[in-house]
Amino acid sequence: MSKLESGLNSTSASAIVSVEHVFKSVADSTGTLDILRDIDFALAPRETAAIVGASGSGKSTLLSIIAGLDTPTRGTVKLAGQDLFAIDEDERAALRARQVGFVFQSFQLLGNLNALENVMLPLELASQKDARKTATEMLARVGLSQRLGHYPKVLSGGEQQRVALARAFVVNPAVLLADEPTGSLDFATGETIMKLMFELNQELGTTLVLVTHDRAIADRCQRLITIEAGRVV
């Protein structure tokens, strides 16, 4: 049984992420553009999945919808059993804060905060105790215990992505969403980052959903979801 076939047999009842017949269309000067067409799959807790496809196939749009950052034209997305689009934007934001971590190609660190403060931020927003201690331990886990007070502008690309990983994992999310996390890194640095991401994923038992154009990275995941012209193929 293939990775995809195995994943498609997952039941939505036990899923941490459930994407049910999702469509996404936008209107432009030429009419209606269909970005996603009847996307349907479920991911179990601790599962790793790669979303692959050509540029413009709808991969990042799908990831944004899974996160509740974008809305589908129709269809349902459930996170930990909660229908994301049956609640309002504030409730979705609160659910993301509790359940979801993000890693982006462009790191998305706050330039006015140092490494430690960037990692502490989601803990502080969640009013978690011992935010400084927890963030310090996570930065040590990603090999940055000597860079706590450094600001993003003086960190290398690989170091910035390590900070981003620490920030994503520090809240122990149920789901980690990563959009081309090695896209702006050289090959060797990207390999190091991916090894670290999968190690942290295993240690914390997170469900990983990874958008990538790199088939070698995708093949490390248990699931392979290929998007072509807005459809799973």
Side-chain angles (χ1 to χ4, degrees):
M1 182 179 290
S2 70
K3 290 181 181 179
L4 180 57
E5 290 168 339
S6 174
L8 290 174
N9 287 333
S10 297
T11 61
S12 59
S14 62
I16 186 69
V17 174
S18 180
V19 178
E20 302 172 6
H21 304 292
V22 162
F23 292 75
K24 177 67 175 181
S25 302
V26 296
D28 62 14
S29 59
T30 63
T32 300
L33 175 64
D34 295 321
I35 300 173
L36 297 173
R37 309 179 189 192
D38 200 19
I39 305 296
D40 192 88
F41 63 86
L43 298 175
R46 306 181 70 95
E47 195 167 11
T48 58
I51 301 173
V52 300
S55 296
S57 60
K59 303 186 302 298
S60 293
T61 299
L62 176 57
L63 200 70
S64 293
I65 289 174
I66 292 171
L69 296 170
D70 195 358
T71 57
T73 304
R74 66 180 190 270
T76 302
V77 176
K78 294 179 181 177
L79 177 61
Q82 173 65 62
D83 183 343
L84 287 180
F85 304 106
I87 56 179
D88 64 29
E89 189 171 340
D90 288 342
E91 291 172 315
R92 282 198 298 274
L95 183 62
R96 278 195 299 271
R98 295 192 306 270
Q99 300 281 3
V100 182
F102 295 92
V103 180
F104 302 96
Q105 177 178 340
S106 55
F107 317 133
Q108 299 289 333
L109 301 178
L110 296 178
N112 62 326
L113 301 182
N114 62 33
L116 180 59
E117 292 165 342
N118 264 284
V119 178
M120 286 174 60
L121 184 60
L123 296 171
E124 292 176 328
L125 291 174
S127 301
Q128 291 195 26
K129 296 179 180 179
D130 300 322
R132 179 173 294 272
K133 178 176 181 291
T134 303
T136 299
E137 291 171 350
M138 182 57 72
L139 281 164
R141 174 63 186 83
V142 301
L144 291 178
S145 57
Q146 304 303 313
R147 308 288 270 173
L148 303 182
H150 289 69
Y151 289 84
K153 66 181 180 181
V154 298
L155 297 174
S156 69
E159 287 173 333
Q160 289 186 62
Q161 196 61 298
R162 285 172 182 262
V163 175
L165 282 179
R167 182 183 59 186
F169 279 109
V170 76
V171 295
N172 197 15
V175 179
L176 182 75
L177 304 177
D179 193 359
E180 299 282 7
T182 63
S184 59
L185 304 175
D186 63 75
F187 177 78
T189 303
E191 282 289 299
T192 300
I193 291 297
M194 291 311 304
K195 181 175 184 292
L196 182 58
M197 179 182 289
F198 280 104
E199 287 176 356
L200 288 168
N201 190 72
Q202 287 293 314
E203 289 173 16
L204 298 177
T206 303
T207 296
L208 173 64
V209 186
L210 171 70
V211 166
T212 183
H213 65 277
D214 188 327
R215 187 57 183 258
I217 292 174
D219 283 344
R220 299 182 189 183
C221 295
Q222 297 165 312
R223 293 279 302 279
L224 185 62
I225 301 169
T226 303
I227 307 294
E228 185 176 304
R231 296 182 183 274
V232 174
V233 297

